[in-house]
């Protein structure tokens, strides 16, 4: 028979602790909630009440259940109140000496058989455990923020944690409605080891004015389907906590520069901008603790103001006959713009036209557009194999093969053919846009318009501004995206723009984690989905994107930024060499042939 855990203690009622109290109390466990001062206790009680009241308002919790839930919680100042607890979960700030002191004290106060757990995100559970006389009863229980919502708990066993302690905590997670993954004691465990490099890199992008906070966040939400952008997530985590986690991961995790906290984080912490909990972090909130973002001085100008600087675009040229070109033609034609498609020959034009018809017909079958709308969209497209037909368009988008020499030659020709003031855009996902701009005599009019595949479905377009792109060109490009009902994010002309630059290093890190035998592809996929709300785990995504494509993008990032941590994972290279390219060939990280 495993342990019952009839009574549980939680130490520290901040962002995490208050949520952890709620998790236990919701599941019928009596909780003693402990803080350091009366004021902190009061604040912690406020967080808990706020959360359960919200649940009642949203109809997710009955009033009597809330009252019963709150009835299970006892609030107290000081650890002495925990003498009868079967399990104590510590959630105080991420500092080793503080946690060690608390564990030494818990060891003295708690009954000998009690299990002591830490919610640390990055500190060594082993180092915390040796502050007690019972290291075999110390374990990591790493909940995710917000604890009542996120399903994952990382259970961290040290080399001395007793087997029955691990089994009993795993069983308890099940009772709490959580899914556990059990892992050994390594900085950042699974989820944070994969998450924090990405968060830090996003802050670095903001610090270098690579893109605005809104655009960085929108890019990751719309480009990757993440529940929140990285900067909004930093605000939720708390910048002080995030700083400590990064700092510890940097020191414990082999001094990977990507974990060295970006200076801006420390500055914001010093200035008291801690995120949601203090009412201001990367964004400004209605009041401390509120999730409601309000406008501040960094809020972008309204769309109308920005659109005033834009040039009118009624007719567009799309060059190319591949997947992206076809998707882009469809997007423009459906939005009511006239489109001139230019391919290398009549045969390519015929194929592209067929592909467009197939896609539009699918839309009709799925009820996304009517037959009349389909016919109107088709009627807006003219098919040509002669680039001279682009003489009177207002915008050109090229989506030809990803080769610099080919694209440069194309831009030089466009420069000869197109009327002045036309926006010349490239859909390149990896070449420097400035190279294409400089192939023309009008670099101010050249911009990147990076659509995502499938273009008719994906809501995001990265608008890539080079150091020569004019304001009017950026304004026109963003206005065009809005007219297509796409969300434009403006970024600088650097490898991977926003989405790929933030996404692929994370995927590469996941591969390195499997390579190091720290965890399995299944556990990692689960951890990211259940702990961070990602729509797909990294290995599922790698298999969909294609391992060859992923490797190529990662190589580009590594070559441009020379960041040692970006070096492609050898396992990724080997899988590509072995021909395991992902779903498209039936095998990647997983074997699809048998499914
Ligand atoms: N914020 C997150 O998203 C997140 C997610 C998972 C895990 N964690 C981990 O959870 C732990 C807590 O982080 P947080 O974000 O909740 O921090 P927080 O700053 O929001 O809360 C910490 C609380 O601990 C209290 N405290 C400090 N010293 C104490 C003591 N001696 N006795 C009792 N209470 C004390 C503080 O008053 C404060 O209320 C950290 O180890 C962190 O790494 C955080």
């Amino acid at each position: 028979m495993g342990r019952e855990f009839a009574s549980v203690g939680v130490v520290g009622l901040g962002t995490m602790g208050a949520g952890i109290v709620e998790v236990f109390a919701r599941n019928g466990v009596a909780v003693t909630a402990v803080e350091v001062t009366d004021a902190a206790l009061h604040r912690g009680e406020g967080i808990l009440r706020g959360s359960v009241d919200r649940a009642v308002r949203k109809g997710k919790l009955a009033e009597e259940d809330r009252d019963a839930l709150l009835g299970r919680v006892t609030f107290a100042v000081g650890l002495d109140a925990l003498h009868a607890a079967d399990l104590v979960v510590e959630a105080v700030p991420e500092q080793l000496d503080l946690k060690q002191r608390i564990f030494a004290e818990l060891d003295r106060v708690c009954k000998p058989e009690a299990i002591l757990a830490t919610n640390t995100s990055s500190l060594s559970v082993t180092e915390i455990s040796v502050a007690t006389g019972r290291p075999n009863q110390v374990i990591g229980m790493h909940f995710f923020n917000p604890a009542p919502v996120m399903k994952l708990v990382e259970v961290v066993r040290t080399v001395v944690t007793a087997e029955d302690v691990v089994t009993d905590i795993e069983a308890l997670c099940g009772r709490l409605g959580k899914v556990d993954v059990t892992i050994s004691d390594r900085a950042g465990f699974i989820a944070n080891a994969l998450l924090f490099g990405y968060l830090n890199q996003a802050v670095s992008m903001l610090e270098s004015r690579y893109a605005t906070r809104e655009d960085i966040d929108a890019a990751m939400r719309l480009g990757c389907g993440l529940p929140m952008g990285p900067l909004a997530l930093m605000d939720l985590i708390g910048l002080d906590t995030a700083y400590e986690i990064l700092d510890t991961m940097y020191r414990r995790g082999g001094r990977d520069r990507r974990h060295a906290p970006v200076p801006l984080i420390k500055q914001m912490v010093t200035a008291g901008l801690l995120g949601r909990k203090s009412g201001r972090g990367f964004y400004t909130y209605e009041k401390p603790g509120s999730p409601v973002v309000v406008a501040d001085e960094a809020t972008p100008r309204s769309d109308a103001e920005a659109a005033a600087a834009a040039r009118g675009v009624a007719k567009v040229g799309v060059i190319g006959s591949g997947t992206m070109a076809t998707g882009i033609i469809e997007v423009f034609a459906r939005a009511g713009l006239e489109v001139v498609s230019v391919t290398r020959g009549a045969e390519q034009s015929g194929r592209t036209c067929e592909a467009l018809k197939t896609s539009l017909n699918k839309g009709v079958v799925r009820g996304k557009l009517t037959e009349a709308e389909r016919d109107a969209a088709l009627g807006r497209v003219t098919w040509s194999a002669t680039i001279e037909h682009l003489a009177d368009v207002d915008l050109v988008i090229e989506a030809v093969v990803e080769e610099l020499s080919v694209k440069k030659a194309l831009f030089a020709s466009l420069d000869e053919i197109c009327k002045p003031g036309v926006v010349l855009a490239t859909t390149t996902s990896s070449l420097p846009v400035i190279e294409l701009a400089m192939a023309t005599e009008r670099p101010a009019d050249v911009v990147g318009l990076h659509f995502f595949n499938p273009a008719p479905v994906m809501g995001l377009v990265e608008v890539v501004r080079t150091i020569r792109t004019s304001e009017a060109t950026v304004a026109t490009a963003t206005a065009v995206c809005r007219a297509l009902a796409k969300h434009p994010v403006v970024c600088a002309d650097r490898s991977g723009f926003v989405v790929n630059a933030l996404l692929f290093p994370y995927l590469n890190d996941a591969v390195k984690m499997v390579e190091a035998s720290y965890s399995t592809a299944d556990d990692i996929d689960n951890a990211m989905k259940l702990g961070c709300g990602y729509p797909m785990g990294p290995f599922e995504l790698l298999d969909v994107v294609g391992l060859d494509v992923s490797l190529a993008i990662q190589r580009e990032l590594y070559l441009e930024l020379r960041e040692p941590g970006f070096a492609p994972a050898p396992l990724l290279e080997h899988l590509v060499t072995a021909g395991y390219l992902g779903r498209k060939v039936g095998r990647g990280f997983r074997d699809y042939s048998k499914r």
Side-chain angles (χ1 to χ4, degrees), residues 169-238:
I169 292 296
E170 287 172 343
L172 174 65
C173 289
R175 236 178 96 195
L176 299 174
K178 300 290 183 196
V179 176
D180 58 280
V181 289
T182 301
I183 43 194
S184 60
D185 187 14
R186 201 176 101 165
F189 315 126
I190 296 177
N192 284 350
L194 296 181
L195 185 68
F196 272 79
Y198 147 73
L199 295 178
N200 205 34
Q201 195 189 339
V203 178
S204 164
M205 279 184 172
L206 182 74
E207 192 185 52
S208 61
R209 296 174 191 268
Y210 183 73
T212 64
R213 61 182 186 190
E214 282 83 2
D215 278 357
I216 293 171
D217 279 351
M220 297 314 284
R221 272 190 284 109
L222 300 171
C224 304
L226 305 188
M228 32 188 354
L231 302 170
L233 179 57
M234 288 283 281
D235 275 359
L236 176 69
I237 292 169

Side-chain angles (χ1 to χ4, degrees), residues 11-17 34-36 40 43 79 90-95 98-99 101-102 118-123 142-145 192 236-238 240-241 245 277:
V11 184
L13 304 181
T15 307
M16 289 310 291
V34 168
E35 259 291 351
V36 70
R43 200 179 53 231
L79 300 178
E90 162 280 312
V92 304
E94 189 77 342
Q95 293 151 18
L98 174 65
K99 291 196 192 260
R101 253 189 290 124
I102 285 178
T118 172
N119 183 49
T120 183
S121 311
S122 57
L123 295 168
H142 185 233
F143 288 83
F144 286 77
N145 188 0
N192 284 350
L236 176 69
I237 292 169
D240 49 347
T241 302
I245 294 174
K277 61 184 162 190

Side-chain angles (χ1 to χ4, degrees), residues 274-575:
L274 306 184
R276 273 194 202 183
K277 61 184 162 190
S278 72
R280 185 152 180 192
F282 289 106
Y283 295 91
T284 304
Y285 299 85
E286 213 171 28
K287 56 177 195 280
S290 162
V292 181
V293 173
V294 295
D296 59 21
E297 64 280 0
T299 304
R301 296 178 301 162
S302 72
D303 291 356
E305 252 180 272
R311 300 183 207 127
V313 171
K315 187 170 180 183
V316 304
V318 179
I319 311 176
S321 49
T323 314
M324 286 317 286
T326 314
I328 293 167
I329 294 170
E330 177 174 343
V331 168
F332 278 100
R334 280 175 65 178
L337 281 92
E338 246 192 281
V339 184
V340 183
S341 153
V342 175
T343 72
R344 276 172 302 159
E347 196 196 321
Q348 282 90 341
S349 290
R351 259 193 281 121
T352 311
C353 181
E354 281 314 307
L356 174 63
K357 282 184 186 157
T358 307
S359 176
L360 288 170
N361 282 333
K362 261 194 213 147
V364 172
V365 171
R366 292 192 184 135
K368 300 247 156 97
L369 75 169
T370 63
E371 285 186 9
E373 283 166 339
R374 172 198 61 195
D375 297 342
L378 274 173
R380 290 188 197 104
V381 187
T382 352
W383 304 96
S384 164
T386 319
I387 195 170
E388 280 72 18
H389 282 143
L390 300 179
D392 66 341
V393 298
D394 308 308
L395 162 70
V396 180
I397 302 181
E398 72 73 19
V400 305
V401 63
E402 190 78 341
E403 263 176 45
L404 187 60
S405 56
V406 176
K407 291 198 193 258
K408 273 171 88 163
L410 189 58
F411 271 79
S413 316
L414 290 172
D415 194 22
E416 304 274 312
I417 293 157
C418 294
K419 61 186 185 189
V422 171
V423 170
L424 302 178
T426 169
T427 53
T428 183
S429 25
S430 62
L431 301 171
V433 180
I434 188 68
E435 294 266 9
L436 310 179
M438 297 313 288
T440 72
E441 298 291 319
R442 44 174 121 178
D445 297 335
V446 177
V447 72
L449 275 179
H450 186 227
F451 284 80
F452 289 73
N453 189 16
V457 177
M458 298 297 286
L460 181 74
V461 180
E462 286 172 320
V463 176
V464 185
R465 159 215 301 269
T466 78
I467 48 172
R468 299 285 301 265
T469 311
S470 73
E471 284 305 319
T473 301
V474 173
T476 309
T478 51
V480 165
C481 293
R482 290 206 180 86
L484 302 173
K486 302 281 181 204
H487 189 111
V489 303
V490 180
C491 65
D493 182 21
R494 295 250 306 268
S495 181
F497 311 133
V498 177
V499 173
N500 287 353
L502 290 176
L503 177 67
F504 283 88
Y506 143 75
L507 297 176
N508 193 48
D509 284 348
V511 179
K512 287 183 186 165
M513 191 175 266
V514 164
E515 199 169 39
S517 300
Y518 180 64
S519 187
T520 61
D522 287 347
D523 275 355
I524 296 173
D525 276 352
N526 266 335
M528 296 316 289
K529 286 193 285 186
L530 301 174
C532 305
Y534 282 28
M536 276 187 173
F539 296 98
E540 287 168 330
L541 187 56
L542 280 160
D543 278 355
V544 168
V545 172
L547 272 55
D548 48 345
V549 175
S550 305
L551 178 61
I553 294 174
Q554 189 60 27
R555 276 197 184 129
E556 290 281 347
L557 287 169
Y558 179 52
L559 284 179
E560 177 166 307
L561 302 167
R562 310 288 165 118
E563 167 56 61
F566 285 175
L571 176 60
L572 186 59
E573 309 214 19
H574 289 189
L575 288 166

Side-chain angles (χ1 to χ4, degrees), residues 156-178:
V156 186
R157 57 138 58 99
T158 74
V159 286
V160 294
T161 312
E163 200 47 48
D164 62 303
V165 170
V166 176
T167 333
D168 288 353
I169 292 296
E170 287 172 343
L172 174 65
C173 289
R175 236 178 96 195
L176 299 174
K178 300 290 183 196

